[in-house]
């Protein structure tokens, strides 16, 4: 517990001093040193996407005079509140939000060629940002990584098509273009912080994990990264609805019928944001990401199978209860399988003792994230790609009892080694070993191109027919036959083979 208290103090400590200035695209930015790490926050990587820049690809950053104060985060992107968010933002969100943050070892200097990690947050493409405490890059930098996190446009600001924008190609995935622009900024500037632009690992979770699939297939992202980590990013055709541009434009028309481009850009920010959040994503007038032919070419698994994705090392996986479902009646839970209800019972509740809520969560998790991650790993391995498959299984006792395992996004405080910054319950002593091990795997991957190294349990690569998984939980980590294999085989037979 003492280690947690000390870590919490380090994460929340006031910055000790403005340590140095670094000149980047646009001007100079000041860094703030604390606990052996220098942080540069709120750096603009593109022009404000407001006014004439709304619903346009990110434009070159506007140069500033003097030294930009890097002591505070820039605005997270405009969004409606989502109180249940496990990683709540700490800024006032705004349309002017294209900022990123850099953490580096305080001793790092230009030319050191340290590995780089770039974090892309989740939040259903409608919520989230780079400011949550749990996403601090402090401990990645402590461990010899130059760490970058970024904001990208969300909701209708980030993913919007409309007939009024026909002269500009209807619109599109502006949030994805922001991510690509930020990665170009990394290529141009990270060496000045001591990073190696040829050793960039990009990782993301949920919508961020889905963004990893986009980066793998987008021709615009080629050469901007050397490795990818996909956390709870799906990957099956249909995991994330992806309308065509034409269908997305019809959806945009529902939001703003008959408006011209000029009228669309004159809409108040609050009207465009509306009440769109993770609790209201299915509303009319919002399409989400669309197949635009330059960021998304098609479904992730189709793109992998067709050889359209970047051939880089990948870690992919999900959590043990990584779903969104609740149930109290087993018959109703299994009724969704129709004539296959008995077969579903055999794989999800063979002895009839599992709570209905655990079953419902398992079914949802398998369909959305767990089976698709295995599917993606197998497809990548079949084409000779280096890929490692994981399952994160640690859950605090209250969570384990409630849903039967590790919930969606619950691995993040362990990946970042920031459990004390987590929203909610105080950390338990048993959690630090889980965080230390999980974090080390991610750091190893950034440094060496594989997650295992001396001092941690071995983690073999996945194969084209893999039935094993690296299971990480309170007991440590082990490469084992997947205890969910029967479930996942059943799920695969129902959603694509």
């Amino acid at each position: 517990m003492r280690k947690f208290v000390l870590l919490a103090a380090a994460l929340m400590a006031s910055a000790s001093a403005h340590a140095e200035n670094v000149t980047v695209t646009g001007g100079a930015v000041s860094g703030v040193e604390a606990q052996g790490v220098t942080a540069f926050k709120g750096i603009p990587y593109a022009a404000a996407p407001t006014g004439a820049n709304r619903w346009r690809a990110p434009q070159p950053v506007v140069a500033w005079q003097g030294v930009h104060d890097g002591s505070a985060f820039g605005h997270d992107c405009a969004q409606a509140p989502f109180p249940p968010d496990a990683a709540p933002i700490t800024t006032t969100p705004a349309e002017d939000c294209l900022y990123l943050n850099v953490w580096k070892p305080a001793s790092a200097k230009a030319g050191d060629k340290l590995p780089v990690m770039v974090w892309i947050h989740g939040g259903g493409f409608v919520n989230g940002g780079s400011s949550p405490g749990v996403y601090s890059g402090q401990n990645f930098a402590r461990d010899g990584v130059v760490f970058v996190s970024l904001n990208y446009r969300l909701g209708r600001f980030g993913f919007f098509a409309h007939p009024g924008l026909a002269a500009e190609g209807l619109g599109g995935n502006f949030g994805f273009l922001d991510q690509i622009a930020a990665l170009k900024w990394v290529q141009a500037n990270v060496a000045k912080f001591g990073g190696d632009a040829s050793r960039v690992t990009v990782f993301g979770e949920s919508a961020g994990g889905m963004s990893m699939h986009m980066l793998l297939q987008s021709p615009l992202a080629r050469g901007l990264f050397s490795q990818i980590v996909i956390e709870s990013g799906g990957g099956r055709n249909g995991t994330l609805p992806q309308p065509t541009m034409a269908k997305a434009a019809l959806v945009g028309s529902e939001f703003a019928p008959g408006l011209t481009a000029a009228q669309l850009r004159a809409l108040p920010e609050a009207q465009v944001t509306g009440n769109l959040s993770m609790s209201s994503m299915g509303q009319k007038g919002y399409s989400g990401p669309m197949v635009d032919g330059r960021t998304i070419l098609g479904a992730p698994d189709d793109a992998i199978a067709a050889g359209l994705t970047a051939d880089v090392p990948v870690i992919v996986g999900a959590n043990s209860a990584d779903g969104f479902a609740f149930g109290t009646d087993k018959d109703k839970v299994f009724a969704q399988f129709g004539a296959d209800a008995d077969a579903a019972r055999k794989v999800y509740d063979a002895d009839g003792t599992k709570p209905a809520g655990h079953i419902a969560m398992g079914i949802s998790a398998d369909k959305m994230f767990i089976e698709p991650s295995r599917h993606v790993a197998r497809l990548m391995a079949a084409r000779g790609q280096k890929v490692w498959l994981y399952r994160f299984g640690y859950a605090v006792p209250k969570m384990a009892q409630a849903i039967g395992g590790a919930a969606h996004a619950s691995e993040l405080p362990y990946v970042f080694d920031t459990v004390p910054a987590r929203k909610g319950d105080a950390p338990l002593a048993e959690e630090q070993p889980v965080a230390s091990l999980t974090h080390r795997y991610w750091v190893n991957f950034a440094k060496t191109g594989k997650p295992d190294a001396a001092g941690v349990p071995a983690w073999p690569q996945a194969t084209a027919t893999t039935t094993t998984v690296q299971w990480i939980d309170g007991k440590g980590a082990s490469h084992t036959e997947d205890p969910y294999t029967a479930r996942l085989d059943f799920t695969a037979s129902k959603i694509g083979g």
Side-chain angles (χ1 to χ4, degrees), residues 89-333:
I89 60 175
T90 61
T91 72
T92 301
E95 189 176 358
D96 175 5
C97 63
L98 298 187
Y99 301 97
L100 54 73
N101 320 288
V102 181
W103 285 259
K104 73 176 188 71
S107 60
K109 59 186 181 302
D112 282 353
K113 291 189 174 297
L114 297 177
V116 179
M117 297 189 76
V118 179
W119 167 246
I120 296 181
H121 69 82
F125 299 111
V126 294
N127 284 118
S130 63
S131 70
V134 77
Y135 298 159
S136 169
Q138 177 79 21
N139 291 332
F140 279 109
R142 174 200 66 191
D143 294 332
V145 170
V146 175
F147 180 90
V148 181
S149 62
L150 61 99
N151 296 337
Y152 58 95
R153 280 172 282 183
L154 303 170
R156 294 186 189 94
F157 293 108
F159 304 92
F160 185 73
H162 191 280
L165 301 173
E168 304 165 24
L170 288 178
N173 295 321
F174 302 103
F176 287 154
L177 295 177
D178 294 341
Q179 295 176 15
I180 292 168
L183 290 176
K184 289 180 178 178
W185 185 98
V186 169
Q187 287 294 308
N189 293 282
V190 77
K192 298 171 184 177
F193 298 90
D196 186 347
S198 70
R199 300 169 64 200
V200 175
T201 300
V202 190
F203 69 124
E205 181 271 340
S206 194
M210 296 171 191
S211 297
M212 297 306 99
H213 284 297
M214 178 278 297
L215 292 174
L216 283 167
Q217 63 179 263
S218 175
L220 301 178
R222 287 291 187 273
L224 299 181
F225 55 88
S226 55
Q227 303 184 141
I228 287 280
V229 182
I230 308 168
E231 301 177 35
S232 304
R236 278 274 190 186
N237 190 345
T239 301
L240 174 68
Q242 296 177 344
T244 63
M245 289 287 288
K247 288 184 178 178
L250 289 174
V251 174
S253 292
E254 293 178 338
F255 166 69
L259 297 191
T260 65
Q263 290 170 329
L264 287 167
R265 292 188 170 110
L267 291 173
E269 176 185 319
Q271 184 176 342
V272 178
T273 301
N275 67 343
L276 184 60
S277 74
M278 284 190 283
S279 61
S280 60
M281 291 167 56
Q283 64 181 262
K284 290 184 178 181
Y286 173 64
S287 67
M290 63 206 74
V291 178
D292 61 1
R294 55 178 181 165
T295 61
I296 299 179
L297 307 180
D301 54 349
D302 289 343
I304 296 166
L308 300 177
T309 53
D311 184 7
V312 298
V314 172
I315 291 175
V316 60
N319 298 345
S320 60
D322 209 338
F324 301 94
F326 302 93
T328 57
D329 186 313
K330 288 187 184 182
D331 290 337
K332 290 183 178 179
V333 170

Side-chain angles (χ1 to χ4, degrees), residues 427-438:
L428 304 173
E430 67 189 41
E431 294 183 81
Q432 185 56 51
V434 183
S436 296
L437 176 58
T438 307

Side-chain angles (χ1 to χ4, degrees), residues 300-374:
D301 54 349
D302 289 343
I304 296 166
L308 300 177
T309 53
D311 184 7
V312 298
V314 172
I315 291 175
V316 60
N319 298 345
S320 60
D322 209 338
F324 301 94
F326 302 93
T328 57
D329 186 313
K330 288 187 184 182
D331 290 337
K332 290 183 178 179
V333 170
F334 287 118
Q336 64 184 289
F337 294 100
D340 295 317
D342 288 342
R345 284 181 185 273
K346 288 180 181 179
V347 296
Y348 284 101
D349 191 31
D351 60 7
T353 61
K354 188 172 289 187
H358 292 195
I359 296 168
M361 186 65 73
I363 291 169
S364 172
D366 290 352
K367 182 176 180 180
M368 295 182 69
F369 299 117
I370 299 177
E371 192 284 331
S373 67
R374 186 187 73 168

Side-chain angles (χ1 to χ4, degrees), residues 484-497:
Y484 291 3
T485 292
R487 287 168 39 174
L488 302 187
D489 290 347
F490 174 77
T491 299
S493 73
K494 300 302 164 193
I495 64 175

